Short mmCIF file of all heavy atoms in Angstrom, two decimals:
data_model
loop_
_atom_site.label_atom_id
_atom_site.label_comp_id
_atom_site.label_asym_id
_atom_site.label_seq_id
_atom_site.Cartn_x
_atom_site.Cartn_y
_atom_site.Cartn_z
N PRO A 67 -5.94 4.58 -0.33
CA PRO A 67 -4.58 4.09 -0.54
C PRO A 67 -3.67 4.29 0.66
O PRO A 67 -3.75 5.30 1.36
CB PRO A 67 -4.11 4.92 -1.74
CG PRO A 67 -4.92 6.17 -1.68
CD PRO A 67 -6.26 5.74 -1.18
N ASP A 68 -2.79 3.32 0.86
CA ASP A 68 -1.74 3.44 1.86
C ASP A 68 -0.45 3.85 1.15
O ASP A 68 -0.45 4.16 -0.04
CB ASP A 68 -1.57 2.13 2.63
CG ASP A 68 -1.22 0.95 1.72
OD1 ASP A 68 -1.00 1.16 0.50
OD2 ASP A 68 -1.17 -0.18 2.22
N GLY A 69 0.64 3.84 1.89
CA GLY A 69 1.90 4.31 1.32
C GLY A 69 2.41 3.45 0.18
O GLY A 69 3.01 3.96 -0.77
N ASP A 70 2.18 2.15 0.25
CA ASP A 70 2.67 1.27 -0.82
C ASP A 70 1.85 1.46 -2.08
O ASP A 70 2.40 1.53 -3.19
CB ASP A 70 2.62 -0.19 -0.37
CG ASP A 70 3.36 -1.12 -1.31
OD1 ASP A 70 4.30 -0.66 -1.99
OD2 ASP A 70 3.02 -2.31 -1.35
N ALA A 71 0.53 1.58 -1.93
CA ALA A 71 -0.34 1.73 -3.11
C ALA A 71 -0.07 3.06 -3.81
O ALA A 71 0.23 3.09 -5.02
CB ALA A 71 -1.80 1.64 -2.68
N LEU A 72 -0.17 4.16 -3.08
CA LEU A 72 0.00 5.47 -3.71
C LEU A 72 1.45 5.73 -4.08
O LEU A 72 1.74 6.28 -5.16
CB LEU A 72 -0.52 6.57 -2.78
CG LEU A 72 -0.63 7.97 -3.40
CD1 LEU A 72 -1.55 7.95 -4.61
CD2 LEU A 72 -1.13 8.97 -2.36
N GLY A 73 2.37 5.32 -3.23
CA GLY A 73 3.79 5.50 -3.55
C GLY A 73 4.18 4.76 -4.81
O GLY A 73 4.93 5.28 -5.65
N SER A 74 3.67 3.54 -4.97
CA SER A 74 3.99 2.75 -6.17
C SER A 74 3.41 3.40 -7.43
O SER A 74 4.10 3.51 -8.46
CB SER A 74 3.43 1.33 -6.02
OG SER A 74 4.08 0.63 -4.99
N ALA A 75 2.15 3.81 -7.35
CA ALA A 75 1.51 4.42 -8.53
C ALA A 75 2.18 5.73 -8.93
O ALA A 75 2.41 5.98 -10.12
CB ALA A 75 0.02 4.64 -8.24
N LEU A 76 2.51 6.55 -7.94
CA LEU A 76 3.15 7.84 -8.25
C LEU A 76 4.57 7.64 -8.78
O LEU A 76 4.99 8.35 -9.70
CB LEU A 76 3.16 8.73 -7.01
CG LEU A 76 1.79 9.26 -6.57
CD1 LEU A 76 1.92 10.03 -5.26
CD2 LEU A 76 1.17 10.16 -7.65
N ALA A 77 5.30 6.68 -8.21
CA ALA A 77 6.65 6.43 -8.72
C ALA A 77 6.60 5.98 -10.18
O ALA A 77 7.37 6.48 -11.02
CB ALA A 77 7.34 5.35 -7.86
N ALA A 78 5.70 5.06 -10.49
CA ALA A 78 5.57 4.61 -11.88
C ALA A 78 5.12 5.76 -12.78
O ALA A 78 5.58 5.89 -13.92
CB ALA A 78 4.58 3.45 -11.96
N GLY A 79 4.20 6.59 -12.27
CA GLY A 79 3.73 7.72 -13.06
C GLY A 79 4.84 8.71 -13.37
O GLY A 79 4.97 9.18 -14.51
N LEU A 80 5.64 9.03 -12.38
CA LEU A 80 6.75 9.95 -12.60
C LEU A 80 7.76 9.37 -13.59
O LEU A 80 8.28 10.09 -14.45
CB LEU A 80 7.44 10.26 -11.26
CG LEU A 80 6.67 11.15 -10.29
CD1 LEU A 80 7.33 11.13 -8.91
CD2 LEU A 80 6.60 12.59 -10.82
N ALA A 81 8.03 8.08 -13.46
CA ALA A 81 9.00 7.44 -14.37
C ALA A 81 8.49 7.46 -15.80
O ALA A 81 9.23 7.79 -16.73
CB ALA A 81 9.26 6.01 -13.90
N LEU A 82 7.22 7.10 -15.99
CA LEU A 82 6.67 7.07 -17.35
C LEU A 82 6.57 8.47 -17.94
O LEU A 82 6.81 8.67 -19.13
CB LEU A 82 5.29 6.40 -17.33
CG LEU A 82 5.31 4.89 -17.05
CD1 LEU A 82 3.89 4.36 -16.90
CD2 LEU A 82 6.04 4.13 -18.15
N ARG A 83 6.24 9.45 -17.11
CA ARG A 83 6.21 10.83 -17.62
C ARG A 83 7.59 11.26 -18.09
O ARG A 83 7.73 11.95 -19.11
CB ARG A 83 5.70 11.79 -16.55
CG ARG A 83 5.54 13.23 -17.05
CD ARG A 83 4.98 14.15 -16.01
NE ARG A 83 5.90 14.34 -14.88
CZ ARG A 83 5.65 15.17 -13.86
NH1 ARG A 83 4.50 15.85 -13.82
NH2 ARG A 83 6.51 15.29 -12.88
N SER A 84 8.63 10.85 -17.37
CA SER A 84 9.99 11.22 -17.77
C SER A 84 10.37 10.61 -19.11
O SER A 84 11.27 11.10 -19.79
CB SER A 84 10.99 10.79 -16.69
OG SER A 84 11.19 9.38 -16.70
N LEU A 85 9.67 9.53 -19.50
CA LEU A 85 9.93 8.87 -20.77
C LEU A 85 9.04 9.41 -21.89
O LEU A 85 9.11 8.92 -23.02
CB LEU A 85 9.72 7.36 -20.63
CG LEU A 85 10.70 6.63 -19.70
CD1 LEU A 85 10.31 5.17 -19.54
CD2 LEU A 85 12.14 6.76 -20.20
N GLY A 86 8.21 10.37 -21.57
CA GLY A 86 7.39 11.01 -22.60
C GLY A 86 5.96 10.52 -22.70
O GLY A 86 5.23 10.94 -23.60
#
Side-chain angles (χ1 to χ4, degrees):
D68 59 6
D70 192 27
L72 190 58
S74 294
L76 290 175
L80 288 168
L82 290 174
R83 184 177 66 177
S84 74
L85 294 175

